[in-house]
């Protein structure tokens, strides 16, 4: 199966890969008539699926039940695919920066994801947040499905919209839920 990353590589897509899955492909001549190699991600589907399963418990703790259900749906979608490999094309994304930068960022982010899996606690590093298109510091339990899984199979209306948890503030060492108000109530 093949996906194309335009401005980021969605977080759940990254969970399919490890640093060894970062590859280089020869590029075509671009705007300045200079061909340059670009980084992309590829792995056997069964290996990617095994990574998703291995990371599932860590993801449950980091995402919460509702968003982890979306992660499990993603895992089930990958399991149902009949293709033997997963490919994420990133040529457009690679061209947005200097040559070699995306490869460096992918290696760092995927190494961080492997380290988080080994420790059992998801720590979304700056490299991982940047590649996945999340603000830093990232709060994955607050993001909508699109931020986590991209627009994979969007013709089916998937991923579904996810309600955002109520904002919380820390006041005198205690978490306080901030009451939601309509946009027009500014007082």
């Amino acid at each position: 199966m093949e996906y194309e990353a335009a401005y980021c590589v969605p977080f759940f897509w990254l969970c399919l890969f490890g640093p060894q899955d970062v590859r280089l492909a020869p590029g075509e001549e671009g705007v300045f008539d200079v061909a340059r190699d670009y980084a992309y991600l590829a792995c056997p589907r069964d290996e990617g699926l095994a990574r998703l399963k291995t990371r599932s418990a860590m993801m449950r703790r980091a995402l919460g039940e509702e968003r982890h259900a979306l992660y499990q749906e993603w895992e089930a979608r990958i399991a149902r695919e009949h293709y033997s490999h997963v490919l994420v094309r990133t040529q457009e994304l690679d061209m947005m920066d200097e040559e070699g930068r995306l490869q460096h960022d992918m290696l760092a982010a995927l190494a961080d994801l492997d380290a988080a899996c080994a420790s059992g606690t998801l720590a979304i590093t700056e490299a991982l947040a940047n590649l996945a298109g999340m603000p830093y510091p990232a709060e994955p339990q607050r993001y909508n499905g699109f931020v986590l899984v991209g627009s994979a199979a969007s013709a089916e209306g998937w991923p579904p919209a996810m309600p955002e948890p109520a904002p919380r503030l820390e006041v005198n060492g205690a978490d306080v839920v901030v009451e939601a108000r309509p946009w027009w109530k500014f007082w």
Side-chain angles (χ1 to χ4, degrees), residues 57-113:
M58 173 190 68
M59 296 298 279
R60 179 184 308 274
R61 288 188 296 276
L63 297 170
E65 290 301 320
E66 187 174 35
R67 280 158 180 77
H68 186 260
L70 183 64
Y71 182 84
Q72 290 175 311
E73 286 179 42
W74 173 245
E75 187 179 309
R77 284 174 167 273
I78 298 301
R80 285 191 305 267
E81 288 289 343
H82 63 277
Y83 297 105
S84 62
H85 285 77
V86 180
L87 168 70
V88 177
R89 296 167 117 342
T90 58
Q91 186 172 14
E92 188 175 319
L93 184 59
D94 194 287
M95 296 301 164
M96 293 182 191
D97 213 334
E98 63 207 36
E99 187 170 4
R101 184 75 216 172
L102 181 62
Q103 179 185 17
H104 175 270
D105 291 349
M106 284 179 174
L107 290 168
L110 293 170
D112 292 344
L113 193 53

Side-chain angles (χ1 to χ4, degrees), residues 126-149:
E126 188 171 1
L128 191 53
N130 284 340
L131 190 57
M134 294 189 249
Y136 183 76
E139 297 179 84
Q141 70 280 9
R142 302 188 65 77
Y143 296 135
N144 204 329
F146 179 80
V147 174
L148 298 171
V149 79

Side-chain angles (χ1 to χ4, degrees), residues 8-96:
C8 71
V9 182
F11 186 50
F12 289 3
W13 296 15
L14 289 171
C15 290
L16 287 160
F17 302 99
Q20 69 279 8
D21 299 320
V22 177
R23 315 276 168 85
L24 285 177
E28 299 170 3
E29 289 186 4
V31 176
F32 302 107
D33 294 326
V34 176
R36 70 179 237 195
D37 294 343
Y38 70 93
Y40 68 97
L41 296 166
C43 74
R45 183 185 62 91
D46 292 340
E47 288 180 19
L49 189 56
R51 276 191 205 93
L52 289 177
K53 289 178 186 297
T54 299
R55 293 171 173 163
S56 186
M58 173 190 68
M59 296 298 279
R60 179 184 308 274
R61 288 188 296 276
L63 297 170
E65 290 301 320
E66 187 174 35
R67 280 158 180 77
H68 186 260
L70 183 64
Y71 182 84
Q72 290 175 311
E73 286 179 42
W74 173 245
E75 187 179 309
R77 284 174 167 273
I78 298 301
R80 285 191 305 267
E81 288 289 343
H82 63 277
Y83 297 105
S84 62
H85 285 77
V86 180
L87 168 70
V88 177
R89 296 167 117 342
T90 58
Q91 186 172 14
E92 188 175 319
L93 184 59
D94 194 287
M95 296 301 164
M96 293 182 191

